[in-house]
């Protein structure tokens, strides 16, 4: 689960539409990040080359463009490579036209099986001339371990010289790894500018505040109005679920059987008792003769309840 810098070609500059070239080593599945900067701050541009998606745009202020003067614009586009090689993108000039603009494509790789998460960018400006670069970005882009950060900036002059301290990100709660410069280019086209970019891995932690970036130019006292971008790259690793066998234990049980009482039809018998009556001589002269007392018996069939076995 890692993002790695594959490489880039040199940045291109001009006063009209630009075509930054893509690294020859780019392969299908790579993430390509196009960074463009220029002035005036409200210049218009677009990328119509198929598959490129624009992220938001930042502007450092509203100072008019001039030689080594003026507020800067910065914008990021991205594309996951679907061909090898990919077509170089065109940054098309609009209205207002370019005083000067520059662009570069950085290419990144991922591990097999990982998926790219949509890149995120936040912007910040340094509008103070003649001091070291110090930028506080607008918000926390949600940084965490294994992210890779691109810190990029467009500066309104070619008089800064190389950034001796690179463009170094910092953020509360995060431990960054080694800062590596990826682009450092200057141009005397139009009103002059320079374009810088570094990459830095996130070794540990989770960001809890807006990030910052700092840098130092070799030219003392040079104007350094600039717009900077803090670009977060991330991949996700799929979770593999291995199918298993669901088992259910069965329990054998023996129910309690209630022994039913079965009624069998039978004959009701009644024992008769012979009795001898008292012989009485009646006044009328009638004599009672002793006899046998008899009782009729009745046969019956009881109801039989069929027992239910549980």
């Amino acid at each position: 689960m890692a993002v790695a810098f594959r490489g880039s070609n040199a940045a291109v500059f001009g006063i009209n539409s630009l075509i930054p070239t893509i690294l020859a080593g780019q392969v299908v599945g790579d993430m390509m990040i196009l960074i463009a900067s220029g002035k005036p701050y409200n210049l218009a541009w677009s990328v119509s080359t198929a598959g490129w998606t624009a992220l938001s745009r930042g502007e450092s202020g509203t100072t008019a463009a001039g030689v080594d003067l003026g507020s800067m614009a910065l914008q990021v586009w991205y594309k996951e490579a679907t061909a090898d090689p990919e077509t170089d993108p065109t940054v098309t000039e609009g209205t207002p036209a370019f005083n000067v603009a520059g662009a570069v494509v950085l290419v990144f790789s991922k591990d097999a099986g990982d998926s790219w998460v949509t890149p995120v960018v936040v912007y910040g400006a340094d509008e103070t001339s003649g001091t070291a670069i110090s930028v506080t970005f607008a918000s926390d882009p949600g940084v965490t371990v294994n992210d890779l950060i691109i810190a990029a900036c467009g500066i309104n002059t070619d008089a800064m010289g190389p950034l001796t301290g690179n463009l170094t990100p910092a953020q509360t709660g995060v431990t960054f790894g080694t800062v590596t410069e990826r682009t450092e280019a200057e141009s005397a086209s139009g009103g002059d500018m320079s374009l810088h970019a570094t990459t830095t891995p996130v070794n540990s932690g989770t960001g809890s505040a807006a990030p910052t970036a700092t840098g130092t130019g070799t030219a003392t006292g040079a104007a350094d109005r600039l717009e900077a971008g803090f670009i977060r790259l991330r991949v996700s690793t799929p979770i593999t679920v291995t199918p298993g066998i669901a088992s259910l234990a069965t329990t054998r049980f023996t129910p309690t059987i209630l022994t039913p009482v079965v009624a069998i039809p039978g004959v009701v018998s009644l024992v008769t008792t012979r009795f001898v009556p008292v012989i009485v001589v009646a006044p009328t002269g009638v004599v009672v003769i002793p006899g046998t007392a008899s009782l009729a018996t009745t046969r019956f069939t009881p109801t039989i309840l069929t027992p239910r076995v549980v």
Side-chain angles (χ1 to χ4, degrees):
M1 183 178 177
V3 179
F5 178 71
R6 189 180 293 283
S8 68
N9 291 337
V12 297
F13 296 90
I15 58 174
N16 301 114
S17 297
L18 307 172
I19 304 178
T21 59
I22 297 171
L23 179 75
Q26 162 264 312
V27 299
V28 172
D30 283 351
M31 176 61 70
M32 302 177 295
I33 300 295
L34 166 57
I35 302 169
S37 184
K39 56 184 177 180
Y41 65 89
N42 60 344
L43 59 75
W45 51 24
S46 62
V47 176
S48 58
T49 310
W52 288 89
T53 300
L55 296 178
S56 62
R57 166 183 172 136
E59 298 169 1
S60 67
T62 58
T63 302
V67 176
D68 296 330
L69 296 172
S71 298
M72 298 293 289
L74 185 76
Q75 189 163 6
V76 176
W77 291 258
Y78 71 91
K79 180 182 182 182
E80 181 176 349
T82 57
D84 182 10
E86 281 280 347
T87 301
D88 295 332
T90 299
V91 181
T92 303
E93 180 183 27
T95 303
F98 297 171
N99 172 280
V100 63
V104 66
V105 176
L106 308 182
V107 180
F108 299 86
S109 64
K110 60 178 178 60
D111 291 342
D114 286 351
S115 298
W116 290 106
V117 176
T118 300
V120 175
V121 61
V122 291
Y123 293 101
D126 182 345
E127 281 283 87
T128 304
S129 298
T131 60
I133 296 170
S134 178
V135 177
T136 298
F137 295 96
S139 61
D140 177 8
V143 175
T144 193
V145 62
N146 294 324
D147 288 348
L148 186 71
I149 303 303
I150 306 167
C153 69
I155 303 175
N156 66 358
T157 180
D158 62 348
M160 278 288 289
L163 295 186
T164 55
N166 293 323
L167 194 58
T168 303
Q171 188 178 23
T172 301
V174 173
T175 299
F176 289 98
T178 302
V179 179
T180 305
E181 183 181 87
R182 302 305 184 186
T183 294
E184 183 167 67
E186 298 178 338
S187 174
S189 297
D192 305 340
M193 69 168 289
S194 57
L195 184 63
H196 303 265
T198 61
T199 60
T200 311
V202 177
N203 287 349
S204 63
T206 298
S208 59
T212 62
T214 56
T216 304
T218 57
T220 303
D224 62 354
R225 283 198 174 94
L226 64 91
E227 180 67 4
F230 183 99
I231 306 158
R232 188 205 74 196
L233 299 184
R234 178 180 294 173
V235 293
S236 63
T237 300
I239 298 173
T240 302
V241 179
T242 303
I245 299 174
S247 61
L248 179 65
T250 59
T251 302
R252 181 183 182 88
F253 69 94
T254 303
T256 301
I257 300 175
L258 301 177
T259 303
V261 177
V262 180
I264 300 176
V267 177
V268 176
S269 61
L270 180 64
V271 177
T272 60
T273 302
R274 182 184 181 87
F275 68 94
V276 179
V278 177
I279 299 175
V280 178
V281 178
T284 59
V286 177
V287 177
V288 179
I289 305 297
T292 301
S294 63
L295 181 62
T297 62
T298 303
R299 181 184 179 90
F300 74 96
T301 302
T303 301
I304 300 175
L305 300 176
T306 302
R308 184 175 64 182
V309 177
V310 179

